[in-house]
Structures are given as structure tokens and as C-alpha cells.
Amino acid sequence: MMRDITIGQYYQTESVLHRLDPRVKITGTFIFIISLFVAKNITSYAVATAFLTAVILLSRIPFSFIVRGMKAVVIILFITVVFNLFLTPGITFVSFWRFKITYEGLKTAGYTAVRLTYLILGSSIMTLTTTPNNLTDGLESLMKPLKVFRIPVHEIAMMMSIALRFIPILMEETDKIMKAQLSRGADFESGGIIKRSRALIPLLVPLFVSAFRRANDLAMAMEARCYHGGEGRTKMKPLVYRSSDFTAYIVLCLYFALVITAQRVGML
Amino acid sequence: MSIICDHVNFTYSRGTADEIQALKDISFSIGDGEFVGIIGATGSGKSTLIQHLNGLLKATSGHIYINGEDIYDRDYSLKELRNKVGLVFQYPEHQLFEETVLRDVCFGPKNQGLSNTEAEMRAYEALQSVNLMEDCYDVSPFDLSGGQKRRAAIAGVLAMKPEILILDEPTAGLDPEGREEILNLLKTLHDEQNITVMLVSHSMEDMADYAERLLVMDKGRIIMNGNPRDVFLNAELLEKTGLSVPQVTYILRELRQKGFDVDISATTVDEAADSIMRALGL
Ligand SMILES: Nc1ncnc2c1ncn2[C@@H]1O[C@H](COP(=O)(O)OP(=O)(O)O)[C@@H](O)[C@H]1O
Ligand SMILES: [Mg+2]
């Protein structure tokens, strides 16, 4: 059940995108998201579609796998579309009973749906092609300038990577404790909301205890290895740009320029 | 209570990229009141198998019969099944959650629908049988020592009075005294209350001492099924799957190679001593 959520998950395979520097991919995702808000007509969306298709093909991740991650957000998507459809004022397209759908509503709903879908697809591609460790390394490196403002960039990155590392562990732990309590006759599924929340206690208490125990162990292990924060700490695999990364940056700039041009000269 | 597994297959994460077939064509039967050991290397599917026996996992194909009834029948109650088949997970102390030991042990009986008094009586009985002293019934389970926590958690399952008791490596991480205590407890339950016991363990010595029959698993299959003597005679096959035979059996094999006429089917220290004495003609 929880395994169906692919957002934030890494998909192991060999591809150009997998090999790119995480900083390129993070910047690229940003540029793509901004471009989605710049684009407001069919021509510019066509450019974005072409770009996204190319990226998905390059990632060599099965399309069905990427789409599976969309399932979790279908409801949000649906609600947004419905609201846009019925609540945008303008010229009436059809009307029934108390509701009316306007041309403007139709257009906004369509664009919002596409925009949200692309947004999620775009960011999924980033997380699917980048290991969590690489992702935090990239973020740390990109945020380094913020150190001037005394923002603890290294600590934030370390917390992120630990949190990411713990997600699968805690999911496994939840599964185990749940099964153990089911074996003792626990019932997580029947009853009203109060009974159900009470039924979670036998699950949550052991889960918290175990999370604290693991946190404690990890802190101990880090101290035993003389961890003392980011100061003077070197990396085993430091991030270095290669020529393909510069090519990717140039492609990104070209893409952004193209979207802006398409938005200016395009139609609709 | 008898258990029959009939051509059971099970696949984790079916239909995804990382699907893995953890059980392959598992068939065996266990009679009323038997003491059966399950051995196998890590990842051979032992934990997966026992989770099928109380319906936590559902076989992708095949049937499981408990007392002759198919547990996958539509009107078979899983709750009933879990009352009859008690499952003690690996590191069961990680499931303790209540404020006091006694209340934690009461959790199972209360879920069975017993009244508070009845549940507490069951809990007392179970805590007594695992040798936990009365002065720790009212303390937080998190204040107990490692071995005590383990026994409290096992009591939590015993208090439900299961007819089949299944334990996943109950002695893992305990000191020799703690191991002995738990294994003796199982033996007592088995001998005196005629409970069917299934025990997953990594210790060949424990298996030789306690189990009446052994199931050997390798890569999701059962590759041997027989009494410990016969199973441990096949040292080569066991070693190929990453297991071993009891240490005394190795010693007897060496002696045999050196020309002593000892009986190499002995698996416990006592049997080995007998066999050596006989060979020496004493
Ligand atoms: N929750 C799970 N999801 C996916 N695969 C699992 C899960 N639990 C176990 N497995 C896999 O199933 C196989 C058998 O595991 P398990 O039954 O735990 O073996 P054992 O208890 O003998 O060590 C292993 O390959 C393991 O990786
Ligand atoms: Mg196991």
C-alpha cells in the first residue's frame, strides 16, 4: 500500500539523467517549474511538453512507474479542476440546474490540470533519477551562499539526508509492529473515528520508542566516528561538474528562452 | 491442532519491479502436539512462512488448513485463527506499549473479549509461567532488563492461550541463561499443556535438544523434513545452504575419520557421550 507512493523515491537504472550532477537536476527542475508559470498558451505548452517527453525518454524509467506516483495526487488534481471549472466567471458554455461552466473556466481548468501534472512529473523525474544522498549533497552545495546569513546549511542537509534514510526503515518497522499487534488481536480497521484512533496507540508507542532508540544509536555511532558538523569535513565523492553537466545547463537556458519566445509569439 | 500447508506460493510486491518470490511450493503437515523446528539461512523465507500460518500474509496460491479447515474460506474468521495460533515475532519486546507490564500482557486477552478480571487472571498466569516475579508486574515494561522484556512480550501471547505457538528466533540476542530459560519454558508448555510448538532458530544445538522434527528451508523451498538425527546426518547438504550441524556431530565425524567406530548420528552432548563410551567399550 505505502509502496505505491513513488514521489520522492529513487529508481535504479543507467541513464544520462542518472549520471548528471544533482545540482543541474535541481536547477533544471526549478527552471522547468518557473517555465510552467511563464507559459500561458498552447505553443509554449507544446514546448514544455516536448521538453518533458524528451526528459522522460532520456531517464529510461518506465512511464507506467512514473504514472503510478501520480495516483496519490489524483484527488488534489480533481478538486482543483472542479473548482476552476465551476467557479471561474465569464461567458457561459453550458449550464444546468445551479451550475454553469464558462469558456474561461474550461480554459483555466485545462491549463491548471496540465500545469499541476507537469509539475509533479517534472519533480518526480528529479527524485527518481537522483539518490537521496546525492540530492542533499546537491542542495547543500547550492545553498552554500546562504551561510553568509548564518543559516546552518550543512546541518539542514544532514538532517534531510538522515530523515530520508529513515523513511524506509520506519515504514518497515510500522509494518512489523502492526503485524505483531494484529497477532495479539488488535483491530485497526473497525469502529468509529475515536475507536480507531485509540487502536493506533499500540502501534504508535512502539514506533516512537523505536525511532528514539534508533536516533540514539545513530548519534552514538556518529560521535564514535568523530562527527563534529560541517566545518573542515571533506566528502568521499565530492560533486564535480563534467562537460555533460555544462551541456545540460546550456540546454536548460535554451529551453527557457524557447518557452518565453513561444509565449510572446504563440497563439491562444 | 494440526497444520497442513498445501503447495503454498508467496510473492512480495507482486507486479512491481522488485517482486520477489519468498515461498516456493511449500507443502508439509504438522500434527497435534508436535514440537517442530524451522531452520534456514537468513532470507530463506522462514519469517514469511510463519506469517502465513496466522493469516498475516495471504498465499498467492495454495491452501493452508488449520485443524482441517481451510483458512482462506470466505467465512473463516481471521480473528478466530489468531486466537488459536499465537505468533511471537522476532524481538517481540519491540511491541510493548502499555504503562505497566500487567496491562500490556492483558492486551491480547482483552482483544479476545474477556472481562478485565479474566484478562488479569490470564495475564498473571502467563507472567508466572515465564518466570517473571510479581514485583515487576506494575512497573513500566520499558524499565525491565532485556531478557525480562522478552519474557513479558512472550507472556503477552501466552495469555491468549493459543493452541499453536509459533516463535520467530525467540532467543536471538539473549545470554545463555536467558536462552535456556525460554527454551525450557517452551518445552514445559509443550509437555504439560500439549501445545503445538513451532520454533524458528539459528542454533543447531537448540534444535537438536528440543525439536522432534525439523523443517529445513533454502531459498523459499523446504528441502528437508525429518527428525533431527536424520537431518543432521546430511551435513554436506546443510552446509551448502549456509547452515551447519551441531558441534558434537562434527566431533564424532572427525573421530570416525580417525578410525573410531562411533555413531555419527548423535546430535546432543549426552548422545555423543554415550556413543563415544560405547565405541571405547566402556
Ligand atoms: N516486507 C517485505 N517486502 C519485500 N520483501 C520481503 C519482505 N520481507 C521479507 N522479504 C524478502 O523475502 C525473502 C524471505 O525473507 P524472510 O522470510 O524474512 O527470511 P528469513 O526469516 O528466513 O530470514 C527475503 O529475500 C526478503 O528480502
Ligand atoms: Mg526472519
Side-chain angles (χ1 to χ4, degrees):
Chain A
M1 100 207 116
M2 280 188 273
R3 278 162 197 272
D4 287 342
I5 301 171
T6 55
I7 295 178
Q9 206 177 310
Y10 176 65
Y11 186 94
Q12 171 91 45
T13 178
E14 260 303 306
S15 85
V16 189
L17 279 195
H18 283 74
R19 281 195 301 272
L20 275 187
D21 190 284
R23 288 168 291 184
V24 181
K25 286 186 267 189
I26 296 169
T27 320
T29 311
F30 257 105
I31 292 181
F32 181 68
I33 290 173
I34 295 169
S35 80
L36 286 180
F37 287 92
V38 170
K40 289 195 177 65
N41 62 19
I42 286 188
T43 328
S44 47
Y45 267 104
V47 177
T49 311
F51 180 73
L52 188 60
T53 315
V55 167
I56 289 177
L57 288 179
L58 277 179
S59 75
R60 298 177 63 183
I61 297 169
F63 190 61
S64 61
F65 190 84
I66 304 174
V67 170
R68 195 136 38 95
M70 293 288 299
K71 268 194 213 154
V73 286
V74 153
I75 296 175
I76 302 175
L77 202 65
F78 182 75
I79 293 173
T80 325
V81 167
V82 167
F83 270 84
N84 272 308
L85 208 52
F86 290 109
L87 299 179
T88 317
I91 307 155
T92 310
F93 174 62
V94 281
S95 71
F96 49 91
W97 194 39
R98 284 192 191 166
F99 300 106
K100 72 174 201 279
I101 297 176
T102 62
Y103 282 103
E104 284 78 2
L106 218 54
K107 194 174 145 195
T108 342
Y111 277 133
T112 318
V114 173
R115 191 175 284 163
L116 269 179
T117 313
Y118 282 16
L119 208 131
I120 294 159
L121 284 181
S123 16
S124 314
I125 291 290
M126 172 178 74
T127 53
L128 283 169
T129 59
T130 321
T131 61
N133 269 339
N134 253 329
L135 208 57
T136 41
D137 274 1
L139 271 182
E140 181 177 358
S141 164
L142 285 175
M143 293 195 306
K144 221 173 244 163
L146 294 180
K147 270 192 185 156
V148 182
F149 305 110
R150 298 190 161 267
I151 294 177
V153 173
H154 169 79
E155 282 69 19
I156 294 176
M158 180 56 86
M159 272 157 44
M160 262 188 64
S161 57
I162 291 176
L164 286 171
R165 179 71 194 79
F166 265 58
I167 289 173
I169 295 179
L170 287 182
M171 268 165 65
E172 206 173 290
E173 194 87 9
T174 312
D175 186 56
K176 247 177 56 187
I177 298 170
M178 206 158 173
K179 280 177 177 166
Q181 306 298 29
L182 280 173
S183 302
R184 293 210 280 163
D187 181 0
F188 296 110
E189 271 150 18
S190 66
I193 187 137
I194 294 176
K195 182 156 177 276
R196 275 198 205 195
S197 348
R198 279 185 60 91
L200 284 182
I201 296 174
L203 178 63
L204 291 181
V205 173
L207 197 59
F208 273 100
V209 172
S210 127
F212 280 117
R213 189 181 55 238
R214 282 177 194 279
N216 217 351
D217 289 352
L218 182 62
M220 198 76 97
M222 284 167 81
E223 241 184 281
R225 293 174 204 180
C226 305
Y227 177 78
H228 57 89
E231 210 55 53
R233 182 174 156 88
T234 55
K235 289 211 180 332
M236 186 158 110
K237 290 181 190 159
L239 294 175
V240 262
Y241 282 126
R242 289 172 310 171
S243 58
S244 56
D245 296 314
F246 294 116
T247 318
Y249 272 130
I250 295 170
V251 171
L252 281 171
C253 291
L254 287 180
Y255 160 73
F256 198 62
L258 210 57
V259 170
I260 293 178
T261 324
Q263 173 60 29
R264 287 275 166 78
V265 305
M267 43 185 193
L268 263 163
Chain B
M1 295 283 275
S2 64
I3 306 172
I4 297 173
C5 271
D6 182 18
H7 298 287
V8 168
N9 286 285
F10 180 74
T11 308
Y12 279 111
S13 336
R14 196 142 75 121
T16 69
D18 42 20
E19 76 169 29
I20 170 165
Q21 188 171 0
L23 295 183
K24 296 171 190 154
D25 199 31
I26 299 280
S27 295
F28 64 84
S29 75
I30 288 174
D32 201 4
E34 270 197 274
F35 195 126
V36 178
I38 304 180
I39 54 177
T42 308
S44 57
K46 306 180 296 290
S47 303
T48 307
L49 173 62
I50 60 174
Q51 285 173 40
H52 278 77
L53 301 179
N54 77 344
L56 287 173
L57 295 175
K58 187 169 188 296
T60 32
S61 72
H63 291 275
I64 295 174
Y65 303 90
I66 303 281
N67 251 359
E69 288 177 280
D70 187 341
I71 66 167
Y72 297 142
D73 261 355
R74 213 170 325 131
D75 45 359
Y76 193 89
S77 153
L78 276 184
K79 211 167 161 88
E80 281 299 307
L81 176 65
R82 287 173 194 156
N83 285 342
K84 282 184 245 172
V85 183
L87 185 55
V88 178
F89 272 77
Q90 200 169 3
Y91 299 111
E93 59 273 23
H94 292 175
Q95 74 197 22
L96 298 170
F97 70 98
E98 271 287 10
E99 284 161 44
T100 69
V101 172
L102 189 71
R103 285 178 59 173
D104 200 281
V105 179
C106 283
F107 180 65
K110 276 196 190 149
N111 285 331
Q112 288 178 306
L114 296 182
S115 72
N116 276 347
T117 348
E118 281 176 306
E120 279 189 12
M121 268 163 58
R122 287 272 194 94
Y124 263 108
E125 207 180 319
L127 284 165
Q128 297 274 341
S129 72
V130 297
N131 276 335
L132 272 181
M133 293 307 137
E134 259 158 66
D135 51 359
C136 54
Y137 293 2
D138 282 326
V139 303
S140 159
F142 301 107
D143 289 338
L144 299 180
S145 77
Q148 287 175 323
K149 272 188 201 166
R150 177 82 48 98
R151 279 182 279 148
I154 293 178
V157 173
L158 287 182
M160 298 175 72
K161 290 217 182 282
E163 293 164 61
I164 301 174
L165 184 62
I166 304 175
L167 305 100
D168 197 352
E169 304 192 28
T171 55
L174 291 186
D175 54 23
E177 199 183 338
R179 302 165 65 99
E180 192 90 348
E181 234 166 2
I182 287 188
L183 291 168
N184 283 335
L185 161 72
L186 296 182
K187 191 165 166 51
T188 317
L189 284 171
H190 170 254
D191 292 350
E192 289 174 7
Q193 301 179 30
N194 197 33
I195 293 181
T196 310
V197 179
M198 283 181 85
L199 175 65
V200 175
S201 171
H202 267 129
S203 161
M204 302 305 142
E205 279 74 20
D206 292 350
M207 285 307 191
D209 284 341
Y210 293 91
E212 295 166 350
R213 187 146 65 96
L214 282 183
L215 299 179
V216 185
M217 293 194 66
D218 181 40
K219 301 192 187 76
R221 291 181 197 283
I222 288 190
I223 55 165
M224 280 194 249
N225 177 357
N227 72 39
R229 269 175 174 270
D230 296 341
V231 168
F232 288 136
L233 269 181
N234 213 334
E236 288 73 25
L237 183 54
L238 284 174
E239 276 167 7
K240 232 180 1 209
T241 69
L243 297 169
S244 61
V245 299
Q247 305 235 309
V248 290
T249 313
Y250 280 119
I251 294 177
L252 293 177
R253 284 170 161 257
E254 294 255 325
L255 285 175
R256 165 72 69 89
Q257 269 181 359
K258 295 260 148 67
F260 279 97
D261 185 25
V262 288
D263 171 17
I264 59 166
S265 74
T267 54
T268 67
V269 176
D270 288 343
E271 283 170 11
D274 279 350
S275 129
I276 291 173
M277 294 297 250
R278 261 202 313 278
L280 291 174
L282 293 172

